[in-house]
Amino acid sequence: MSVVAKAIELLGYFSKEMPEVGLSELCRMAKRDKATTYRHLSALEALGFIEQNRITKAYRIGPAVLPLAELRETTVPRREGALSPLKALADLTGETAHVAVLSGQSLHSLVSRESTAHSTRAVMDVRQLPLHATASGLCALAFGPTDLMDTAIVHLHPFTAQTATTQDAVAALTKLAQETGFAESKGSFESDIHSIAVPVFDHQGQLAGTVAVAGVANRMTPELEQKTRTGLVKASRDITRNWGGTIPSHIDVLWRKSLEADQQKELAP
Amino acid sequence: MSVVAKAIELLGYFSKEMPEVGLSELCRMAKRDKATTYRHLSALEALGFIEQNRITKAYRIGPAVLPLAELRETTVPRREGALSPLKALADLTGETAHVAVLSGQSLHSLVSRESTAHSTRAVMDVRQLPLHATASGLCALAFGPTDLMDTAIVHLHPFTAQTATTQDAVAALTKLAQETGFAESKGSFESDIHSIAVPVFDHQGQLAGTVAVAGVANRMTPELEQKTRTGLVKASRDITRNWGGTIPSHIDVLWRKSLEADQQKELAP
DNA sequence: TAGATCGGTTCATTTATTGAACCATTATTG
DNA sequence: CAATAATGGTTCAATAAATGAACCGATCTA
């Protein structure tokens, strides 16, 4: 692992819940030596990526990230295009909706929207999503570049008892997603969270990212699941359009079939 | 210089004018070896800080900066508070207005607003502002922590023929700013740009950042300069208030005196 | 077709990174 | 209130990682 990666990884330990973190705390979280962490922090501080609270000595994200984000937004305005479909999805389901983008071999959280319908809800505080353990990740494996699986199986970290930790198990989940058009994670990343994800595509019909709904498990009834699937498909269509992409026809077919099957089930009993 | 710094410095070469840059171009700009640059880029790509255009092979800023910027703004919401005073300032002067924040020992561009009054205008594409060569930098030296000067004099890079390159010259400009309440740069960073800056303060009356107007030199008449000074003082008062800060009374006195002197001059001829 | 440029790779040399042990301060606590 | 255990920060010899000249194959240009 390069120093660059180690240093920048530290930025991942800051969150809305913990916007300021001290040196020792950060060492524990990153499981690194104090001197090392300190030098990494100092380097990031000199660059304005983090800054230090002069009183508490704790660190927080610095102002240097702002112009970079602005540049990214004006160059590739994906966030804006994802925002309003995501809001609609969160409102429809009453759960947390989020969009992640595929960059190289990894999946990054782009924007998330929490519903205010319930006091308990999923909070998206992870920036890089594990491919094998999240609905979004499995969705990327199912519909993204094939070599993504090679990266995924390097570290099959067991986040919960439900996490798929063998190549075969991950492959099976991926296959299921490819057959239905929906990727699912039932407590495989966080134990009480049940997620469903669908792919978003770029102008070449390649996977650009994923839209997902992360729901509190005990609220995820078959009815809500169906509503979620319908909402996800609409959100993916909207975001794909906003990003100037097109949904491959075979994906369209998959979704139509899955949604029709759901409706059948609803009419049957 | 640490690898972390070298790698992250590469991010500085992307701009609105050049949002996508190839490997060789980047090597020339950063004056570094190709292999080194390539490895730095690869590291940043793996972290999502940059991504590669699969067709042109050129690199651009990646999506990983977006959640960081969002976290920064929710933690330290300064951008929002600066935006509308900045807009007013740009409209008043017809030139480019911008705000920078002091983070540790360096000054970072926070947000800039260009006026549409003229087709030629200053473009703020630098993220870290040199302390000795810009109005904002001199302003920070004049009203910020005293140890800032130590950092400033380490590299007195001659950006133009007008740049102050001796400690004495920088000290003289700083002293002038301290006496008038306004820091000025006449072509010391970019030859045709004339800038004026004033400080913005935090809740302790310490320097939090700077507001500045960067004007095209030949448009900067004494009349526009006076209008700019008045506008800057208003902008600083508004932004300082929005950030929950207070302007020290001695600064208030300085500004009043300077603006009154300006009015005298205007009435005299 | 010959030369130039591009992105990307290799490997011996060099240089920066590492972490145990060390301070100096600042809370905690019996 | 003194003892203890945190905290942030620093040092330096051992070591692991970064470096860059030279190289490759693919495009592009004249």
Side-chain angles (χ1 to χ4, degrees):
Chain A
M1 193 186 220
S2 71
V3 238
V4 183
K6 283 183 196 168
I8 290 182
E9 206 187 84
L10 292 176
L11 298 173
Y13 294 104
F14 297 89
S15 66
K16 282 176 192 171
E17 284 67 42
M18 284 189 80
E20 292 204 352
V21 188
L23 174 60
S24 299
E25 185 88 40
L26 219 38
C27 289
R28 279 191 293 271
M29 290 197 278
K31 283 159 191 160
R32 299 219 198 91
D33 185 84
K34 198 166 48 155
T36 304
T37 308
Y38 179 68
R39 259 175 301 98
H40 290 166
L41 286 171
S42 300
L44 290 171
E45 190 183 16
L47 296 157
F49 272 63
I50 58 165
E51 64 182 14
Q52 196 174 23
N53 185 322
R54 298 234 169 264
I55 299 133
T56 67
K57 299 281 179 185
Y59 298 88
R60 61 160 175 259
I61 300 295
V65 297
L66 296 171
L68 291 173
E70 188 176 324
L71 178 56
R72 168 72 190 186
E73 276 289 46
T74 56
T75 313
V76 189
R78 288 194 169 166
R79 172 178 284 265
E80 289 218 0
L83 215 63
S84 83
L86 213 55
K87 182 182 181 312
L89 185 58
D91 290 346
L92 174 77
T93 57
E95 302 291 342
T96 299
H98 73 275
V99 170
V101 291
L102 186 68
S103 181
Q105 296 283 90
S106 59
L107 198 62
H108 289 268
S109 177
L110 177 72
V111 55
S112 83
R113 170 90 193 189
E114 299 177 22
S115 164
T116 51
H118 307 283
S119 55
T120 60
R121 58 199 184 223
V123 176
M124 290 301 307
D125 239 326
V126 183
R127 284 181 257 289
Q128 190 160 345
L129 300 167
L131 294 169
H132 69 290
T134 62
S136 299
L138 292 167
C139 184
L141 289 172
F143 305 104
T146 49
D147 59 343
L148 216 56
M149 186 62 90
D150 306 334
T151 309
I153 60 173
V154 175
H155 294 297
L156 295 174
H157 184 84
F159 292 97
T160 73
Q162 275 68 50
T163 310
T165 51
T166 65
Q167 187 171 351
D168 286 352
V170 176
L173 290 170
T174 303
K175 188 158 173 286
L176 190 67
Q178 284 167 337
E179 287 167 353
T180 60
F182 297 89
E184 290 202 41
S185 144
K186 296 194 175 183
S188 62
F189 185 55
E190 288 182 280
S191 47
D192 288 324
I193 302 297
H194 178 170
S195 292
I196 311 178
V198 294
V200 175
F201 299 92
D202 66 16
H203 60 107
Q204 288 170 28
Q206 300 292 305
L207 182 121
T210 62
V211 206
V213 168
V216 173
N218 61 38
R219 283 204 296 267
M220 267 291 171
T221 59
E223 289 78 26
L224 182 54
E225 258 197 57
Q226 196 198 323
K227 203 194 259 187
T228 299
R229 282 168 206 273
T230 314
L232 279 169
V233 169
K234 177 162 169 43
S236 171
R237 291 209 171 105
D238 290 344
I239 296 168
T240 298
R241 177 166 37 75
N242 289 348
W243 288 2
T246 47
I247 291 171
S249 53
H250 71 276
I251 301 287
D252 244 333
V253 172
L254 275 181
W255 283 342
R256 286 228 176 81
K257 273 206 270 185
S258 291
L259 294 182
E260 272 174 27
D262 274 358
Q263 285 182 333
Q264 291 297 322
K265 264 188 270 174
E266 195 186 329
L267 293 171
Chain B
M1 192 186 220
S2 72
V3 238
V4 183
K6 284 183 195 169
I8 290 182
E9 206 186 84
L10 292 175
L11 298 174
Y13 294 103
F14 298 89
S15 66
K16 282 177 191 169
E17 284 68 42
M18 284 190 80
E20 291 203 352
V21 188
L23 174 61
S24 298
E25 185 90 39
L26 219 39
C27 290
R28 278 191 293 272
M29 290 196 279
K31 283 159 191 158
R32 298 218 199 92
D33 185 83
K34 199 166 45 156
T36 304
T37 307
Y38 179 69
R39 259 176 298 100
H40 291 167
L41 286 171
S42 300
L44 290 171
E45 191 184 14
L47 295 157
F49 273 62
I50 58 164
E51 65 183 13
Q52 196 174 23
N53 185 322
R54 299 239 169 261
I55 298 133
T56 66
K57 298 280 178 187
Y59 298 88
R60 62 162 173 259
I61 299 295
V65 298
L66 296 172
L68 291 174
E70 189 175 318
L71 178 56
R72 166 72 189 187
E73 261 311 276
T74 56
T75 312
V76 189
R78 290 195 166 163
R79 173 179 284 262
E80 192 119 337
L83 215 63
S84 83
L86 213 55
K87 183 182 180 310
L89 185 57
D91 290 343
L92 174 77
T93 58
E95 303 290 342
T96 299
H98 73 277
V99 170
V101 289
L102 186 68
S103 182
Q105 296 282 90
S106 60
L107 198 63
H108 288 267
S109 177
L110 177 73
V111 55
S112 82
R113 170 90 195 191
E114 294 175 23
S115 164
T116 52
H118 307 282
S119 55
T120 60
R121 58 197 182 227
V123 177
M124 291 301 306
D125 240 331
V126 182
R127 285 181 256 287
Q128 191 160 345
L129 301 168
L131 294 169
H132 69 291
T134 62
S136 300
L138 292 168
C139 184
L141 288 173
F143 304 104
T146 49
D147 59 343
L148 218 55
M149 185 61 90
D150 306 335
T151 310
I153 60 174
V154 175
H155 294 299
L156 295 174
H157 184 83
F159 292 98
T160 72
Q162 275 68 51
T163 309
T165 51
T166 65
Q167 187 172 350
D168 286 352
V170 175
L173 290 169
T174 302
K175 188 159 173 285
L176 190 66
Q178 284 168 337
E179 285 166 359
T180 61
F182 297 89
E184 288 196 48
S185 145
K186 297 196 175 182
S188 62
F189 184 55
E190 287 182 281
S191 47
D192 290 327
I193 301 297
H194 179 169
S195 293
I196 311 178
V198 293
V200 175
F201 298 92
D202 65 18
H203 61 105
Q204 288 170 28
Q206 300 291 306
L207 183 122
T210 61
V211 207
V213 168
V216 172
N218 61 37
R219 282 204 297 266
M220 265 293 172
T221 58
E223 292 76 46
L224 182 54
E225 259 191 55
Q226 196 198 325
K227 202 195 260 186
T228 300
R229 282 168 206 272
T230 314
L232 279 170
V233 168
K234 178 164 168 42
S236 171
R237 290 211 170 103
D238 290 344
I239 296 168
T240 298
R241 178 166 36 74
N242 289 348
W243 289 2
T246 48
I247 291 171
S249 54
H250 70 277
I251 301 287
D252 243 330
V253 172
L254 275 181
W255 283 342
R256 287 229 175 80
K257 273 206 269 183
S258 291
L259 294 181
E260 275 171 25
D262 274 358
Q263 285 182 331
Q264 290 299 322
K265 265 188 268 172
E266 194 185 47
L267 293 171

